[in-house]
Amino acid sequence: MHLDIQHNRAAQRFEVDVEGTLCVLDYTLAEGGMAITHTLVPPPVGGRGVAGELVRTALDFARANGWKVTPLCSYAEAWMERHPDYADLRA
């Protein structure tokens, strides 16, 4: 599944429309770092890897900007645990 994930800088979120359903990853920035605060994929479009792609996109963005990441969201925390290639980003 190709996802057209957009970065909404003003809202500090990554978002994607999946079959008319908005899925989001919210974050905050502070002192050169990103805190992932919330990931939401509503049940009608869940189970398709959307949340994982949102997290991956956010982490790739953080890496490109030289930021460390604090995964405050339980999903982002679990995702990072399962993907050790992103361990270097952990704040």
Side-chain angles (χ1 to χ4, degrees):
M1 169 190 300
H2 169 72
L3 297 174
D4 185 23
I5 297 174
Q6 300 296 310
H7 186 194
N8 183 336
R9 290 177 190 261
Q12 291 191 322
R13 71 171 24 171
F14 290 89
E15 53 194 29
V16 62
D17 182 286
V18 178
E19 298 174 2
T21 301
L22 183 63
C23 305
V24 301
L25 178 143
D26 294 315
Y27 68 88
T28 60
L29 297 176
E31 297 179 29
M34 171 188 278
I36 297 175
T37 58
H38 183 69
T39 305
L40 173 67
V41 176
V45 295
R48 302 179 193 186
V50 176
E53 286 306 306
L54 284 165
V55 173
R56 183 185 312 277
T57 300
L59 293 177
D60 288 346
F61 183 77
R63 179 173 278 142
N65 283 282
W67 299 335
K68 292 295 184 179
V69 177
T70 303
L72 300 177
C73 161
S74 61
Y75 181 86
E77 170 71 28
W79 192 95
M80 288 184 81
E81 287 292 323
R82 289 190 314 271
H83 296 86
D85 46 320
Y86 286 90
D88 62 303
L89 294 178
R90 191 177 293 275

